[in-house]
Every structure is written in C-alpha cells, then in structure tokens.
Amino acid sequence: MAIQTINPYTNLPGKEFDELTEEQIESKIISADTAYKSWRDTPVKERCAILAKVAQLLQDKKDKLAKLITEEMGKLISESRDEIDISSAIYKYYADNAESFLQDRQLEVEKGSAYIKYSPIGIILGVEPWNYPFYQVARLAAPNIAAGNVIMIKHASIVPQCAQAIEDIFKEAGAPEGVYTNLFVSGKNISRLADDKRIKGLSLTGSEDAGSSLAEAAGKNLKKSVLELGGNDPFIVLDDADLDHAVKMAFAGRMKNMGQSCTAAKRMIVDEKVADAFTEKLAEKVRNMRVGDPSEEDTEIGPLSSEDAAKKLNKQIQETIEQGAKVLLGGKRMDRAGAFVEPTILTDIKPGMTAYHEELFGPVISIYKVKGEEEAVKLANDSDFGLGGSVYSKDVARAERVAHQIETGMVFINEPTSSSPELPFGGIKRSGYGRELSDLGIHEFVNKKLIRISGKGGSERKTE
C-alpha cells in the first residue's frame, strides 16, 4: 500500500512512498535499539552538536522545505517558512541548553547526600500530525535526542515528503543510524509497536480518538506517554480591552495556518459592552482576505489540509447552523477546486450545538457575548478541552486574575496562545497531559534516578 502526497490546492496526487513491510519494521526497531545502546553513553555535548547541525541545515534548506509543507498540506508559503524557523530554533535551544537541563540535581538531606540523576530510557515512539509537520516533530525529537533517547516517528500519512526530509536531515547532520527513524506505516501498526518491549515511551499529537487509543496501549504496557490533543481555546475580551489590538490578535490567533491549530483562538468570549464593535471590526478583516494559491506570497486564504478535512469542517458548520446558530459570514464550501472552506463567523451558539462542544479545525470564528468576568470564566471553562487560552484587558492585574481561573495548561495575556522553545507546552482535561518544550520537555522521558549516599562508611559526594 502506498503513502501518497495529495496537493490540497488542486486535489491532485503527487509523490508516493511504499509502506514498510513487517520485516522492514523489525529491522528498523533493531537498528534503533542498537543505536540507543551507544547513544545513551555519548557525551551530551556530542549529542547537542548533532542538534546544532540539524538547526543549521533547516535554515540552509528553508525555502525547499517550506515548499514541501505547502505542497503537502496547503500552508501559506510565508507560514511554512515561519514553521522551519521555529523548528530550527527548537533544535538550537536544546543544543544550547540540554547540558544544563540534564545536570544532577542536589537534594537537601539531614545526613549524607542525595541527588537526582537524569538518564535516558530508550526508544521513544512519536505519532505526529500534519498541521505542523516539522515543528511538531522538533518538540519531541530535540529534547529526547539530547537526553540520550532515540526517536521513531510515525508521521501523518498526508505529509510523507516532509517525514522523509526530516530523517534525511538527521543523517546529513551526522546522527548515527537509528537515532532518528522515520516509519512509513499505517495507524493500525501503532498498537503492535506500543506492545514492543524495546519501545519505552509513547508520544502523540493529534485527535482525541487517536490519543485515547495510544493512552490505552501505553496503559496496557505500563509505558510512559505524553499526549497533546485537541483544543477549543477561549479568547476572552474584557470590557476595558484595547479593542483594535484585540481584533488584530483574534484575527491572527484564529486564521493562522487556516485555523488548523490545536491552540487557535476558537471561542471569542466578549463582554457585551464591546461585543458588537469587536464583531464588526473582526468581520471586516475576515471579509477582505485574499483567496488563492498558498504558494503565492499575497494569498491569505488557502485550502485546508485535505478534502476529508474540508468535508468534516463543513459538516460541523452545517450542523451548528441547523441547530440554530447564526451565520454572520461564510458558512459553506467555496465553489472552486481544492479543499477550500469559506472563512466563517458564527454567533448565537448555545450549549448542545456542535460548535459549542467540538473543536472546529479550520477558519471558523465562534463569537459569544457575556456579562462580565464571572460569566466569561464560566463559559471558558465549560469545555472538555483545556489546552490554551488568552485574556485581553488594559489592566494586566485584572487579566491575570481572570487567567488564574481559566482551566487550561496555558494562558496568554494580550496575545494569542503561541509557542516558543523556552515555554512549556501542553494541556489538561481532554487536551492531554505532559509537557513539551522548555526544561520540562526534556524531563518527560528520562529516568529521574535517586542516588542516595549514606553519611556513614565513606566520604560524602563533593559538589562543584
């Protein structure tokens, strides 16, 4: 069975890759297991030197790699270049900081001495999505390879060229065979891979269903897992917010990557005192967006990642409309070739409606009017998701007070949820568990081993 690129702008097929056979999968696991046995003992500085080379190669090949992203999942070319930049920054961040993150941590004890030793655990299997094909991989690969683990990636089937390109870059950077392995396999193989005793940890970024399945496999096999799943992020605009700034951030926070981001600003929760003005200004910006080929620099609206994605989003929109929501703008598929859906603004959304409870992965803005902070917080927390969110107010102390009450893994004040190498990334509730990036990300898949030295029978450990 072939894994194939389908250009979502034209819906025409592209390059094909053969799915791995059982024998080939076994060979790659053996290679990864063999690599781990030496990689774990490789000095951290040498591991980080490889990551630094990966970071540089991403920059050197940025234009070529950006075109691959745009071809395979339809991202605007400028945003594809931005993705390569943030991916490169993540590898460089761990290249620069991993050694300090992995230093022994001294513990205060009454007698003798004790410390925590951070040690790798083995092969980590990552299941990655299509929406950020380089960045999502970097979040897992960079910290774990620095820590001495080795990585096997089952990437999304619609971005095979991106998947292969990442493995090629690691090889070019000098990573030993098996330190980073791309797996061209279907989703049905994940359970079997999770059962393999040589694989010690599991990580997935993707849908709730996929995350639940992987968590079940991890639990059955008593393996550590990290999940980053869906989101329905609240974007809270208080009555004293700088409205022009809030509108600008709402537009950027929702429409980036065609709205195909777990941390996109999906629910605009706006104080009724400013809701009409906010809605009017935001609608004007959305209405004037330029539709076209995502590979052209002036395009602002491209296709979704696939025809299936466009069909699913359109179905969710139509269900919400039929349930009584109002359409301020858009609301249907575009009458043109490709996986296009009109940028849409929905209002009067109530509990029980599809858009209220489900994640809409695309350029759909849901606007809610509320009476004050308390109602805003209540609505924000009335969700099964808990990934990110943002609060807008000229009074930062007030915004912080609201942020403290939001049930999510991340809250940003006066800017939409975003990502940076030094900031921990992750959620709660049905948005998953665990953290990626920052020093927290490198400690997810390591053995935090306690070394206890008695105060009797020998000299105590000296610290530098």
Side-chain angles (χ1 to χ4, degrees):
M1 181 177 176
I3 296 173
Q4 185 176 46
T5 296
I6 303 290
N7 188 324
Y9 176 62
T10 62
N11 281 340
L12 295 176
K15 193 169 183 179
E16 289 188 2
F17 297 83
D18 291 331
E19 193 170 322
L20 296 175
T21 65
E22 290 293 324
E23 293 76 14
Q24 289 171 324
I25 294 172
E26 175 62 19
S27 176
K28 288 183 180 294
I29 295 175
I30 291 172
S31 177
D33 192 46
T34 301
Y36 170 65
K37 289 176 173 63
S38 59
W39 189 248
R40 66 187 177 189
D41 296 323
T42 301
V44 179
K45 283 185 178 179
E46 291 184 27
R47 298 179 208 151
C48 289
I50 298 293
L51 295 182
K53 290 178 183 177
V54 170
Q56 186 57 56
L57 285 168
L58 285 169
Q59 288 297 319
D60 294 344
K61 300 173 183 289
K62 179 163 65 175
D63 289 343
K64 179 181 178 181
L65 298 175
K67 288 178 182 177
L68 277 186
I69 297 172
T70 297
E71 176 187 348
E72 293 203 302
M73 56 77 56
K75 194 190 300 284
L76 300 182
I77 190 63
S78 60
E79 294 183 356
S80 293
R81 289 193 293 267
D82 289 344
E83 181 178 340
I84 298 302
D85 284 339
I86 183 64
S87 302
S88 176
I90 291 169
Y91 288 108
K92 187 175 188 306
Y93 174 77
Y94 285 105
D96 292 343
N97 295 286
E99 192 169 15
S100 64
F101 292 159
L102 295 168
Q103 286 181 350
D104 298 346
R105 182 165 70 88
Q106 291 295 134
L107 303 176
E108 292 186 10
V109 293
E110 290 185 7
K111 295 180 181 180
S113 61
Y115 61 97
I116 300 296
K117 180 77 174 177
Y118 299 109
S119 305
I121 60 173
I123 303 173
I124 310 301
L125 173 66
V127 181
E128 301 297 345
W130 45 261
N131 58 335
Y132 290 93
F134 283 80
Y135 158 73
Q136 303 279 17
V137 170
R139 290 193 335 212
L140 177 68
N144 281 290
I145 287 174
N149 294 319
V150 300
I151 297 294
M152 304 189 83
I153 296 290
K154 188 280 180 208
H155 217 320
S157 60
I158 69 171
V159 290
Q161 293 181 80
C162 293
Q164 185 62 57
I166 298 170
E167 184 180 67
D168 292 343
I169 285 171
F170 268 94
K171 289 179 179 178
E172 188 175 346
E177 186 76 25
V179 167
Y180 181 96
T181 304
N182 173 56
L183 296 172
F184 281 133
V185 297
S186 62
K188 66 184 180 182
N189 285 281
I190 300 306
S191 292
R192 187 185 77 75
L193 290 167
D195 290 343
D196 194 297
K197 291 182 179 180
R198 293 164 293 184
I199 292 175
K200 305 300 184 182
L202 308 172
S203 179
L204 179 143
T205 298
S207 68
E208 287 180 83
D209 289 344
S212 178
S213 177
L214 186 112
E216 182 179 7
K220 181 182 71 171
N221 290 284
L222 299 178
K223 294 181 180 179
K224 174 68 184 290
S225 61
V226 169
L227 302 179
E228 193 269 281
L229 309 178
N232 204 2
D233 286 13
F235 183 101
I236 299 175
V237 182
L238 301 178
D239 57 1
D240 65 342
D242 179 330
L243 212 55
D244 287 338
H245 176 72
V247 168
K248 181 180 178 181
M249 294 299 98
F251 180 79
R254 187 54 177 126
M255 291 303 173
K256 188 172 183 179
N257 203 29
M258 281 298 294
Q260 298 168 118
S261 170
C262 297
T263 57
K266 298 186 178 79
R267 294 181 293 154
M268 309 296 170
I269 300 172
V270 189
D271 190 286
E272 62 180 4
K273 296 175 184 176
V274 295
D276 289 345
F278 173 87
T279 301
E280 183 179 342
K281 289 174 179 286
L282 183 56
E284 186 64 20
K285 288 182 71 70
V286 174
R287 190 178 289 114
N288 291 327
M289 295 178 76
R290 293 185 297 274
V291 181
D293 185 341
S295 66
E296 295 179 358
E297 297 291 345
D298 62 348
T299 297
E300 294 177 295
I301 285 289
L304 295 189
S305 64
S306 68
E307 186 63 21
D308 285 346
K311 287 178 179 178
K312 178 181 178 180
L313 182 63
N314 186 58
K315 180 175 180 290
Q316 290 173 304
I317 293 170
Q318 300 313 314
E319 286 177 353
T320 304
I321 294 170
E322 291 167 5
Q323 291 159 351
K326 294 181 181 178
V327 182
L328 182 63
L329 194 67
K332 57 185 184 298
R333 292 291 302 270
M334 292 187 192
D335 185 18
R336 58 182 297 156
F340 284 86
V341 174
E342 291 181 337
T344 298
I345 297 179
L346 300 174
T347 63
D348 292 4
I349 302 167
K350 303 292 191 296
M353 294 183 181
T354 299
Y356 189 94
H357 299 283
E358 295 183 9
E359 178 182 35
L360 272 58
F361 219 57
V364 181
I365 297 170
S366 300
I367 298 181
Y368 300 80
K369 289 184 182 181
V370 293
K371 298 178 180 179
E373 288 179 29
E374 185 176 346
E375 191 172 323
V377 170
K378 183 178 179 181
L379 177 55
N381 291 338
D382 189 21
S383 173
D384 291 334
F385 297 102
L387 190 53
S390 54
V391 182
Y392 296 79
S393 171
K394 292 177 182 177
D395 183 342
V396 173
R398 181 189 184 195
E400 284 187 90
R401 183 174 68 245
V402 172
H404 293 166
Q405 300 173 70
I406 304 302
E407 297 170 354
T408 62
M410 305 172 283
V411 183
F412 286 63
I413 293 174
N414 290 327
E415 64 175 315
T417 309
S418 60
S419 179
S420 186
E422 72 279 7
L423 300 178
F425 190 101
I428 61 172
K429 299 194 279 189
R430 293 191 68 83
S431 289
Y433 48 77
R435 292 295 181 268
E436 296 178 309
L437 301 179
S438 77
D439 61 323
L440 301 185
I442 204 169
H443 292 148
E444 285 286 354
F445 290 106
V446 294
N447 178 15
K448 303 174 183 70
K449 183 188 297 182
L450 169 66
I451 305 295
R452 166 68 167 147
I453 302 172
S454 172
K456 298 179 180 180
S459 61
E460 294 186 13
R461 182 178 190 257
K462 294 181 179 180
T463 58
E464 295 181 358

